[in-house]
Amino acid sequence: MNRPILFLTAIDVERRAVLEHLTDRRDVTDRGTRFIQGLTRRGRRRALLAQTGPGNTGASATAQLAIARFSPALVIFSGIAGALQPHIELGDVVVADQITAYGGGLSQDEGFWSRPRSWQAPHAEQQFAQSLSEGALWQEHRPSPSGRVRFGHIASGEVVLDSRTSDIAQRLLRQHNDALAIEMEGAGVARAAHTNGVPFMVVRGISDRADGTKYTTDKGDTQQQAASAAAAFAVLLADELTARPISETATRATADQQGDITMQHQPVVHQTIRDNNRIGNMVGISHGNLLSGKEHDQVEESLRAELAQVRRLLEGALSDGRISADEHREAAQHLDDAAAMVPPKDSQQQGAALWVLGKLLGIVGGVADLSDHVGRIITSINRMTS
């Protein structure tokens, strides 16, 4: 079988909606995080399912852990969202072609200066999903005959938006007025996937209109219906992608191991060409040295230098107001924890270091120079093994 598809959800109604499409299920626990391992209902894909909790920080950390531990071929976040455009109806499915972390910025006496960060969904998967949404197969499998699949920009932040007149709503209207929907986890997943060179998709069912009627709407069955619609399309997409290669990879592991995901011991190494034209390596669970002694020393020296640079940039971000004192305090603690495990001595410490760095990335993801350096550290650690 192929490498697994990783499904992520934030809340229980989303998790249960995906779970309905998985068979042969069993629990796998890694560093306290529960993953459900199974097969997609049509049996074409091995799947992992995890619940991240609300917010981009938790989503990024869980995605980072799962990518390092299981080397998924694709990450799909399936969940619910609020509509931002009048033509988007309750029950519609919105698939992100662009996901934006809209909350970052600089606050000064003169006002707030927005500093958003955006990630593009991979072109090949995006095009395939669009074809799938227009075909007879989706018409056959969609849970509601009225539900449509839309493709476009999704805004991702740390706020449950239920107003069209609040400061955040007005800022979104001015700065991201093409966004179709708003949610809270997609940017964290996109950042973790991008850092590791793994393709990602964000699939959202519309459960409210983000216009002051959310709590009235939620008393009905709209969250369940929206979660079911998103899960149905997400799992169908994963199933159908087995008929074609996933993403434009330069090289791919030639053979994936059969059986339990937790029993894979061969390194999975691939190189993926991304929008910035860099080549990134991702290494799965491995027993045996991947780097020569000289190369290992070079990577270790580079890691130490990057950690020192992150520490300097972190202090600078605090002094110029790009992060708050609380964010600085939490980020500094994660950085100290990571430094104590770098370079990792074994695969377990490697996974723990990636987990901590994923949390750090979730905090500083809106600060471009900081997140770039943390991303380089994650990439380097992914190349190291004992």
Side-chain angles (χ1 to χ4, degrees):
M1 288 187 180
N2 296 319
R3 290 160 54 210
I5 300 291
L6 172 63
F7 293 98
L8 296 175
T9 62
I11 59 178
D12 196 53
V13 67
E14 299 167 346
R15 182 187 65 85
R16 285 186 280 107
V18 175
L19 201 59
E20 290 180 2
H21 296 273
L22 303 183
T23 63
D24 299 329
R25 304 190 300 256
R26 74 180 187 85
D27 283 4
V28 176
T29 301
D30 191 273
R31 280 177 286 279
T33 299
R34 179 194 181 203
F35 295 90
I36 298 174
Q37 172 185 315
L39 297 174
T40 52
R41 187 169 295 281
R42 299 170 74 192
R44 294 184 175 181
R45 271 286 179 187
R46 283 186 296 139
L48 286 164
L49 170 62
Q51 186 169 325
T52 68
N56 283 305
T57 300
S60 179
T62 304
Q64 186 66 55
L65 170 67
I67 290 169
R69 181 69 175 84
F70 301 113
S71 294
L74 175 69
V75 179
I76 301 180
F77 194 99
S78 177
I80 61 177
L84 291 178
Q85 301 292 342
H87 66 281
I88 304 297
E89 301 290 343
L90 299 182
D92 283 358
V93 174
V94 177
V95 180
D97 60 19
Q98 175 186 337
I99 191 88
T100 295
Y102 65 83
L106 173 63
S107 181
Q108 294 180 316
D109 293 341
E110 295 83 0
F112 180 85
W113 311 100
S114 181
R115 293 178 176 177
R117 298 207 65 190
S118 292
W119 295 267
Q120 297 290 328
H123 179 72
E125 284 74 11
Q126 162 80 14
Q127 293 290 295
F128 185 86
Q130 195 152 3
S131 295
L132 181 66
S133 72
E134 297 166 353
L137 193 60
W138 170 239
Q139 306 307 315
E140 175 187 344
H141 285 85
R142 65 182 183 177
S144 169
S146 60
R148 300 161 298 178
V149 180
R150 308 282 196 167
F151 293 82
H153 184 188
I154 291 180
S156 183
E158 302 300 319
V159 176
V160 177
L161 180 66
D162 190 27
S163 171
R164 290 297 168 88
T165 61
S166 68
D167 289 345
I168 289 178
Q170 291 301 303
R171 179 148 51 95
L172 285 168
L173 181 63
R174 292 192 304 269
Q175 298 167 354
H176 308 288
N177 64 3
D178 64 335
L180 303 184
I182 184 168
E183 46 92 297
M184 298 174 63
E185 295 81 29
V189 172
R191 186 68 179 89
H194 175 81
T195 298
N196 288 280
V198 180
F200 73 94
M201 301 291 286
V202 176
V203 180
R204 293 286 184 170
I206 300 301
S207 61
D208 65 82
R209 305 204 59 81
D211 62 354
T213 63
K214 173 179 172 56
Y215 294 103
T216 301
T217 305
D218 285 352
K219 289 179 181 179
D221 202 27
T222 58
Q223 284 197 346
Q224 176 62 55
Q225 293 172 4
S228 295
F233 189 76
V235 178
L236 184 65
L237 176 63
D239 258 332
E240 292 306 304
L241 277 170
T242 58
R244 57 178 293 283
I246 294 211
S247 193
E248 297 86 6
T249 51
T251 61
R252 196 55 96 179
T254 57
D256 292 315
Q257 296 219 340
Q258 300 281 343
D260 292 342
I261 295 168
T262 52
M263 295 305 292
Q264 295 180 24
H265 296 303
Q266 296 299 319
V268 180
V269 181
H270 67 271
Q271 294 180 308
T272 305
I273 300 177
R274 285 288 167 248
D275 294 337
N276 60 4
N277 294 323
R278 293 178 182 175
I279 301 294
N281 293 332
M282 183 181 73
V283 180
I285 305 164
S286 175
H287 298 271
N289 291 320
L290 294 182
L291 303 178
S292 66
K294 182 177 180 180
E295 187 179 3
H296 188 284
D297 290 343
Q298 291 173 342
V299 171
E300 180 178 344
E301 182 179 351
S302 175
L303 279 171
R304 296 294 187 192
E306 288 287 355
L307 285 167
Q309 179 66 2
V310 168
R311 200 172 298 278
R312 287 191 292 270
L313 291 172
L314 191 61
E315 298 307 316
L318 174 64
S319 64
D320 62 23
R322 288 181 293 164
I323 61 173
S324 68
D326 287 343
E327 289 172 328
H328 174 269
R329 188 180 306 108
E330 187 175 359
Q333 182 59 62
H334 292 324
L335 185 59
D336 289 342
D337 292 342
M341 295 182 282
V342 173
K345 297 180 177 62
D346 51 39
S347 60
Q348 182 175 0
Q349 194 172 77
Q350 181 186 35
L354 290 169
W355 170 261
V356 170
L357 287 164
K359 290 184 176 181
L360 175 60
L361 191 60
I363 297 170
V364 303
V367 183
D369 51 359
L370 261 172
S371 60
D372 285 346
H373 281 278
V374 176
R376 291 175 196 170
I377 295 172
I378 290 172
T379 299
S380 295
I381 291 177
N382 267 321
R383 298 179 60 226
M384 300 186 73
T385 177
S386 59

